[in-house]
Amino acid sequence: MDPAAAPSPSPPPPRTGISLRHLLMSLGEPLVELQAAPAGLDVEIRSVALLDPEDPPAARPGALVLAIGARGRAALPAVRVGGRDGAAAVAVKLDVPGQAAALSDAAAEAGVALLSVRRDVRWEQVDALARAALEDAPSGGNGEAGGEGDLFALAQTTAVLTGGIVSIEDTTTRVLAYSRSSDSDEVDDLRRLSILGWQSPEEYLARLREWGVFQRLRASDEVVHIDGDPESGIRRRLAVAIRSGERQLGIIWVQEGSAALAEHADQALLGAARVAALHLVRRRRELSADLTLTRTLAAGLLEGSTGPQPLATHLGLDLARPAAVLGFSYGSGADTASGVSELSRTEVGNLISVHTAARHRSALVTQVDARIYVLLPQLPRSIDVGTLRGWGQEISEAVYRHLGLSLRGSVGCIVPGLGGVPESRREADRILDAMVRVGVDTTVAALPDIQAEVLISELLALLAAHPDLRDPRLTALVSYDSRSQGQLAETVLAYLNAFGDVRAAAAELHVHPNTLRYRIRRAEELTGLDLSRPDQRLLAMLQLRLPAAG
C-alpha cells in the first residue's frame, strides 16, 4: 500500500479541562481553600460559570460555579444546584468560619466539591485566574522546576545527622546535590572527582560494580556499608537507594571523614532517602505545585479549616487509621521564630523531616505561624504516646546537637482517625503554651506529663485576659513593688510556694528568715491580705504568677 494513501492515525482527543487538583495549585491558598471534595481531586473542570442570585438556578456539567452575591448559608441553593446539574465544584464566600461545616455537609451530600473564597478577594479575580488556568492547561510538557536547592539543603541536613559527607545522585550517577565540607582533606578522590565532573568517574564505578554495591542497592531498601579501599583512594561510606515504590530514582552516598560516622547514621540515611524521593518525583513544575498543595491541605487540616477528606484523597491516606500531631516551638526567648534566621528554620525543617520520615513513612511536616507541626497519619494501632514522646525527644536533641537551637516539643493525643487531627493539634498547642507561660522543666511532654502545669497555664491566661477577676489588693502590692523597687510580691509567692516554711523560702530568696517574716507582715499591712486564710493564699499563688503586671 502506498504510504501516502494509508490512513493517518487518529490524534488523541483534545484535552477539554483541568483537574480540581490543578485548579487548586493554580489559584493557590491565598485565594481559595478546599472545604470538601467528595469525588476526589481528579474531577475535571471544563468551564467557569457565574451564578447570580437573580439568575435561574442552573449549572453546566463540569463547571466551576462561582456563587457570587450569596454568602455563607445563603449559598446552600448554589451548592445543591451544582450537585444536581453535575458541576465539578462550587466556590462560595463565608461570613464566619463556622459556616463551612454546614456547606461542606451539603456539598458532600450533593457530590460536588466546595471551595471557600477569601472575603477580601474579588470575584472577577477568581474568574480571570480560573479561566487562565483552563486556557493554559499543560498538555504533558516536561519542564522542570528548580528543585536542586531543596536537594542541597537535604544533603547538608543528612551530613549533619550522619556526621559524614553526602552526595545525592540520580540513576545515571549524575550528581544532583552534595553537602558542604569545611575540610578538603576529609574528601576522598571518588567524592572530589564526582563533584568536579558532576558524575562519578568510570574507573571508580567499575570498582563499585565489582564489589556488588549497585546490585545490592537495586535489590534492597536497606543501607549498604562499603569498606574503605586505601589503594583506590576510597574511604568508608554508606549508600542507600532512593525509591518511589519499586522504581529506583537515585542514590544517597555518605562518605566517612576524619571522624567516625554517627551511631544512628543508618536510620538517618533511610529517612533522608524517603524525603529525597519526594523531591525527585516532584521535580516537574506541576508536581512541585503538588507538594505545595500537600502542605496547604495539611496546614488546613491542622487548623481545622479543611476537613480530612481532601488530604486523604490527595495522598491516598486511610481516614480510619490512628493519627497524632507533634508540635515544636523555639525554646529561647519568646514563643516565636523571629530570632532564628531563615536558613536555620529551613535546616530545622529538613532535620525534622528526615527524622520523622525514618520512623514513619507518611509523616508530613509543615509550619503554621511560629510553630512546626509533624502530622502523623496512618499510625499503627499499637503505638502509644510514650513512643511518640521518644521521637520528639530525639528530634529536639538532634536540633540542639547539630544546629545549636533549643526546641520545645509536645505530643498531641492519639486520635482514632484523620478527622481528629485538629483535636490533637489543639492539645499539642496547650502543652507548648504551658511551657512558655509557666515554665516546665522538660523538653518534650505529653499532656499526662504536665497536666497540672497546663491547667495552671490556662487559669493564668484567663486571669490575664480578665482583670476583673483579679484581687485588687494583690494588684496594688505589685504596683507598690514597681514604684519602690521592692520585693514584697516576690517574697509572698516564695513563702506560699514553700508551704509557709519560712526558712526554705528565705533560702530560696537568699535572705535571713527574719527579713522574710518582716516582708510578709509588711505585705499584709499594706494590702489587708490575711495569708492565714486558704482562699486568699490560693488566689495569691495564682495572681502573683502573672508576668510583671500582677
Side-chain angles (χ1 to χ4, degrees):
M1 177 183 290
D2 183 356
S8 300
S10 299
R15 183 169 181 167
T16 58
I18 60 174
S19 68
L20 174 60
R21 186 192 315 272
H22 183 88
L23 177 75
L24 290 169
M25 290 188 290
S26 298
L27 297 188
E29 181 273 336
L31 294 182
V32 301
E33 190 171 77
L34 180 65
Q35 298 295 339
L41 299 182
D42 293 322
V43 295
E44 188 179 42
I45 296 174
R46 299 194 289 273
S47 63
V48 182
L50 304 178
L51 183 60
D52 191 282
E54 303 299 323
D55 296 335
R60 293 192 298 272
L64 166 64
V65 178
L66 306 182
I68 63 175
R71 287 179 178 266
R73 296 182 67 88
L76 280 170
V79 173
R80 297 185 180 115
V81 165
R84 181 197 69 191
D85 294 347
V90 178
V92 304
K93 288 189 177 182
L94 305 176
D95 285 326
V96 294
Q99 294 171 335
L103 287 166
S104 295
D105 290 343
E109 184 178 347
V112 65
L114 178 68
L115 308 179
S116 60
V117 179
R118 285 175 49 128
R119 296 176 62 184
D120 55 349
V121 173
R122 295 169 60 89
W123 280 115
E124 299 87 29
Q125 182 182 8
V126 179
D127 181 35
L129 289 172
R131 293 181 190 277
L134 281 167
E135 292 169 3
D136 297 337
S139 56
N142 60 359
E144 291 187 353
E148 287 82 0
D150 287 336
L151 285 176
F152 274 98
L154 176 62
Q156 189 63 31
T157 298
T158 307
V160 168
L161 290 173
T162 60
I165 304 166
V166 174
S167 61
I168 302 175
E169 298 178 358
D170 64 15
T171 52
T172 67
T173 71
R174 183 172 68 95
V175 177
L176 302 175
Y178 52 87
S179 63
R180 302 182 298 272
S181 177
S182 58
D183 185 356
S184 60
D185 291 335
E186 291 189 336
V187 178
D188 66 10
D189 292 342
L190 174 55
R191 153 88 176 191
R192 184 178 297 106
L193 292 173
S194 297
I195 291 176
L196 291 177
W198 283 88
Q199 190 169 33
S200 295
E202 182 55 39
E203 61 269 26
Y204 286 97
L205 293 176
R207 190 67 59 88
L208 294 174
R209 291 191 196 100
E210 179 183 332
W211 295 340
V213 171
F214 293 110
Q215 181 179 357
R216 281 183 281 166
L217 288 169
R218 284 192 297 270
S220 170
D221 290 335
E222 300 299 321
V223 174
V224 175
H225 290 245
I226 305 153
D227 293 331
D229 182 7
E231 292 184 7
S232 302
I234 298 177
R235 295 192 183 186
R236 175 176 177 254
R237 57 197 352 101
L238 309 179
V240 68
I242 305 169
R243 295 185 187 281
S244 176
E246 295 297 319
R247 182 185 176 196
Q248 184 177 345
L249 304 174
I251 302 171
I252 302 181
W253 301 91
V254 179
Q255 180 221 298
E256 189 175 72
S258 56
L261 295 175
E263 181 182 355
H264 300 294
D266 283 30
Q267 189 176 47
L269 195 52
L270 285 173
R274 292 171 185 171
V275 175
L278 295 177
H279 290 303
L280 294 182
V281 300
R282 293 169 178 171
R283 289 170 70 96
R284 295 185 180 184
R285 184 170 288 107
E286 186 170 353
L287 291 176
S288 177
D290 179 73
L291 181 57
T292 300
L293 176 59
T294 297
R295 290 172 178 162
T296 299
L297 293 176
L301 178 58
L302 287 166
E303 294 173 325
S305 59
T306 302
Q309 188 265 330
L311 182 65
T313 301
H314 180 52
L315 297 180
L317 301 175
D318 186 345
L319 284 165
R321 291 273 297 278
V325 174
L326 305 181
F328 294 94
S329 66
Y330 294 94
S332 54
D335 186 27
T336 175
S338 59
V340 181
S341 70
E342 185 66 33
L343 176 60
S344 294
R345 287 198 293 273
T346 299
E347 290 177 330
V348 169
N350 282 332
L351 190 149
I352 293 175
S353 295
V354 170
H355 258 278
T356 52
R359 287 151 185 79
H360 188 61
R361 186 179 296 274
S362 302
L364 298 171
V365 178
T366 190
Q367 181 160 325
V368 179
D369 298 325
R371 290 179 176 174
I372 302 169
Y373 297 94
V374 181
L375 171 56
L376 299 167
Q378 301 191 140
L379 287 169
R381 299 190 188 280
S382 59
I383 202 163
D384 57 23
V385 168
T387 299
L388 300 185
R389 187 195 299 110
W391 293 0
Q393 190 66 45
E394 290 173 6
I395 289 170
S396 179
E397 291 172 357
V399 168
Y400 184 77
R401 183 168 59 251
H402 298 301
L403 303 178
L405 295 173
S406 297
L407 279 189
R408 304 181 187 94
S410 62
V411 182
C413 54
I414 299 174
V415 292
L418 205 58
V421 162
E423 176 189 352
S424 184
R425 186 261 175 114
R426 283 192 294 273
E427 185 165 298
D429 278 340
R430 291 178 68 197
I431 296 165
L432 291 176
D433 289 342
M435 288 178 162
V436 174
R437 194 174 287 123
V438 302
V440 177
D441 190 22
T442 186
T443 307
V444 178
L447 186 59
D449 303 327
I450 57 169
Q451 181 84 61
E453 290 86 345
V454 169
L455 294 175
I456 290 293
S457 166
E458 290 168 352
L459 286 171
L460 292 177
L462 184 66
L463 285 175
H466 295 278
D468 54 303
L469 296 180
R470 304 181 207 170
D471 188 329
R473 296 172 297 181
L474 294 166
T475 303
L477 182 64
V478 173
S479 297
Y480 175 83
D481 278 347
S482 178
R483 292 192 307 272
S484 62
Q485 296 183 331
Q487 297 175 291
L488 298 183
E490 178 187 11
T491 300
V492 169
L493 184 58
Y495 172 73
L496 295 174
N497 286 342
F499 298 99
D501 185 329
V502 171
R503 293 190 177 278
E508 176 70 21
L509 296 176
H510 305 290
V511 298
H512 193 278
N514 287 340
T515 301
L516 189 131
R517 292 188 183 95
Y518 167 77
R519 290 180 183 176
I520 295 298
R521 288 196 302 271
R522 180 65 175 156
E524 290 181 319
E525 291 169 359
L526 283 173
T527 62
L529 288 168
D530 182 358
L531 296 180
S532 67
R533 293 178 55 182
D535 53 349
Q536 293 194 24
R537 291 200 304 271
L538 175 61
L539 186 57
M541 286 192 74
L542 283 173
Q543 189 169 325
L544 293 180
R545 287 171 182 255
L546 289 174

